[in-house]
Amino acid sequence: MEENVTTIELPKKRPTFLTVLCILSFIGSGFLLGSNIYQYFMFDTTYAKQMKMLETQQEALSDAGIESGFAYNSIQNGIVTLEKTSQNLGLISGANILFALLSLLGVFLMFKMSKNGFYLYTFANLFWLLVPLALIDFEATMMNTAVLGFFTIVFIIMYAVNLKHMK
């Protein structure tokens, strides 16, 4: 007599490390999505205040005889960034919102244990880094992009370590 044995494959349990990464990414990407939406709708009201603040800081440094160095260059870069953002607000905000949504979708898919989420997350976040370099100003945004790029690469590596758990 033959016995039919049916095996049921249990769904893979999501590792705690992957869960923590996904939660951190949900928070980060969600915050950036919200801040870019806010920036798009509130830019006109905040632009003048931000520009005045940067110009005041620049004048204070100039009055103190400091017209070079990290602090002065940071303020200069802030002014350039603000001016370029005002010129290309729709395109910059649109690109940032698109990549934030793609990043969130990638994280959601990884949370559901799908490898496709990793590829989408990686694509979205690497191209997201190019937005300020291409649409604002390469020199003015290079330092911020380098810092964000470091964290982006670290998160991509940590997600890659978890690929073996995804299907």
Side-chain angles (χ1 to χ4, degrees), residues 15-36:
T16 304
F17 183 55
L18 180 58
T19 302
V20 170
L21 282 176
C22 288
I23 290 169
L24 290 173
S25 294
F26 276 129
I27 293 168
S29 294
F31 174 77
L32 290 171
L33 174 64
S35 66
N36 280 291

Side-chain angles (χ1 to χ4, degrees), residues 46-138:
T46 61
Y47 174 78
K49 288 183 222 175
Q50 290 176 342
M51 188 59 82
K52 182 155 179 59
M53 180 188 70
L54 288 170
E55 289 170 345
T56 301
Q57 291 173 346
Q58 187 179 34
E59 287 173 21
L61 287 176
S62 293
D63 291 345
I66 302 170
E67 294 189 357
S68 64
F70 182 77
Y72 189 83
N73 290 339
S74 294
I75 293 168
Q76 279 293 109
N77 290 339
I79 291 171
V80 169
T81 299
L82 201 55
E83 288 173 348
K84 295 278 185 164
T85 301
S86 72
Q87 296 166 4
N88 297 313
L89 180 64
L91 184 59
I92 293 167
S93 294
N96 283 333
I97 289 167
L98 172 67
F99 288 126
L101 290 171
L102 291 175
S103 180
L104 282 168
L105 179 59
V107 173
F108 176 75
L109 291 172
M110 285 189 286
F111 191 78
K112 294 291 189 180
M113 304 295 290
S114 171
K115 281 184 182 181
N116 289 334
F118 171 76
Y119 302 118
L120 181 59
Y121 176 85
T122 301
F123 166 81
N125 283 278
L126 290 178
F127 277 92
W128 200 352
L129 289 172
L130 298 177
V131 171
L133 296 174
L135 299 178
I136 298 175
D137 183 78
F138 186 84

